[in-house]
Amino acid sequence: MRRDPPSSSTPSGHAAPSLACSVLAASFAARPRREAPPTAALTHGLLHRNPRTHNGNGKVASPCGPACPRACTALPSAWMASTAAQPVVMVTNDDGIDAPGLRFLVDQLVAQGRYRVLVCAPDTDRSGVSHCITWRSPLRCKRADITGAAAFGVSGTPADCASLGISGKLFDGLVPDLVLSGINIGSNCGFHVVYSGTVAGAREAFIYGFPALAMSYNWVAGKSSVNDLKVAAEVCMPLINAVMVEIKNGMYPKGSFLNIDVPTDAGHHKIVKKSYDEEEGDDIDYKSLVDGYITVTPLGAHSRAEADAIPYYKACLSRI
């Protein structure tokens, strides 16, 4: 979720997106919420590279024959071969595929040389859309040129992008071992996790059984700069690497996803602080962030009532 955006939006050296293709969204209301990957979320998967080949009756008119629809999504064979043994990481966000936070994060992942990096992110800024999904309108997908990664910009929300990216339809059958959402321009603490598209991107992956991290930087207008987002990406890498080790060892818990916030002075952050001690109050994540800590908060998919309210509702319902 974006707040007080910087004047510069894209690090230098990244080309504009190219190569259009089209995706049709199915009725999300009918899809089961625990199937993984969610291939039923798309009526036809990825279609032909020409967005005008949909003929209006639910079928695809392919001028080049039945072999064409896969051409727009086939990943380079050399890239696939060179990264075959590496874990797969997929990156999404809500600030858009050209946002510096995402680009710096991808740069860090690629520079590590230990991951296959996929990117599926909104083609424009979709901050603050929460867990909104595209229901009746077609989704459009365009290949983006990001060095070292296979990338697509999508005309949907962060949840759409996460759902599509983990489906196996977009990346030639590849599905991620870990989904990363961010790095967001603006913190996502407390109730902000409800409004945040960044958190929703991670939550969508988690719902389908994929380990996921949402990452945000506490941007402060007049104080923060685009370079701070680069530093935020750098300081998140040890956490990402540690989570991947746990995943590969079969030790990573499946009952939650992580919401990570990086303090404004990212270069001088304090040691990571957990932010879920009930005795410290609900806003411990924001207090710790302001104090200079990187905060890590485990989140679930559901919003439940406070424990002390349960007896009241039980008694109330028993009287009905």
Side-chain angles (χ1 to χ4, degrees):
M1 194 163 111
R2 188 179 218 165
R3 301 175 200 86
D4 301 314
S7 57
S8 173
S9 61
T10 307
S12 60
H14 298 291
S18 62
L19 184 59
C21 57
S22 176
V23 181
L24 293 182
S27 172
F28 280 75
R31 74 183 185 185
R33 299 303 297 174
R34 276 290 177 181
E35 289 185 3
T39 54
L42 306 176
T43 53
H44 299 294
L46 284 170
L47 305 182
H48 192 264
R49 69 180 69 188
N50 184 346
R52 293 173 294 181
T53 56
H54 184 253
N55 60 19
N57 64 0
K59 296 182 179 180
V60 180
S62 176
C64 303
C68 279
R70 284 179 58 86
C72 62
T73 59
L75 301 182
S77 57
W79 181 83
M80 290 284 285
S82 65
T83 60
Q86 296 174 331
V88 181
V89 174
M90 191 194 82
V91 182
T92 190
N93 73 347
D94 73 353
D95 291 329
I97 196 165
D98 292 321
L102 180 144
R103 294 300 182 109
F104 286 136
L105 177 58
V106 172
D107 287 346
Q108 287 294 317
L109 292 165
V110 171
Q112 294 258 313
R114 60 194 293 181
Y115 302 121
R116 281 183 285 185
V117 183
L118 313 176
V119 179
C120 185
D123 56 9
T124 60
D125 188 340
R126 301 301 296 267
S127 297
V129 299
S130 187
H131 211 110
C132 178
I133 57 174
T134 302
W135 190 356
R136 295 182 176 89
S137 302
L139 291 176
R140 299 196 47 136
C141 180
K142 181 179 287 187
R143 192 182 291 276
D145 185 6
I146 301 180
T147 302
F152 287 88
V154 179
S155 63
T157 67
D160 290 331
C161 294
S163 182
L164 177 58
I166 64 177
S167 70
K169 295 293 185 180
L170 187 61
F171 296 108
D172 208 26
L174 274 180
V175 294
D177 297 292
L178 175 64
V179 174
L180 306 176
S181 187
I183 289 174
N184 188 66
I185 302 173
S187 65
N188 279 307
C189 296
F191 290 124
H192 286 168
V193 302
V194 176
Y195 307 108
S196 170
T198 300
V199 174
R203 187 189 296 113
E204 179 75 2
F206 163 70
I207 287 172
Y208 287 103
F210 289 80
L213 310 179
M215 292 169 291
S216 305
Y217 166 72
N218 189 31
W219 180 277
V220 175
K223 183 176 182 180
S224 299
S225 69
V226 172
N227 188 65
D228 290 319
L229 294 168
K230 181 178 181 181
V231 177
E234 293 171 353
V235 301
C236 282
M237 286 309 303
L239 286 167
I240 294 169
N241 293 337
V243 167
M244 183 61 79
V245 169
E246 293 294 293
I247 292 170
K248 287 304 181 182
N249 289 338
M251 301 297 292
Y252 192 75
K254 298 181 179 180
S256 63
F257 66 100
L258 295 182
N259 183 40
I260 299 168
D261 283 281
V262 178
T264 304
D265 190 1
H268 299 88
H269 67 276
K270 297 178 183 179
I271 297 173
V272 175
K273 185 171 184 178
K274 63 182 181 180
S275 54
Y276 49 89
D277 290 326
E278 293 182 1
E279 65 272 15
E280 294 190 57
D282 293 335
D283 59 350
I284 184 61
D285 54 350
Y286 182 71
K287 290 178 179 177
S288 298
L289 185 67
V290 172
D291 286 342
Y293 288 94
I294 296 177
T295 64
V296 181
T297 308
L299 299 176
H302 301 287
S303 298
R304 294 185 171 88
E306 297 295 332
D308 57 2
I310 299 300
Y312 167 81
Y313 289 113
K314 283 184 176 179
C316 181
L317 289 173
S318 68
R319 295 192 296 268
I320 296 176

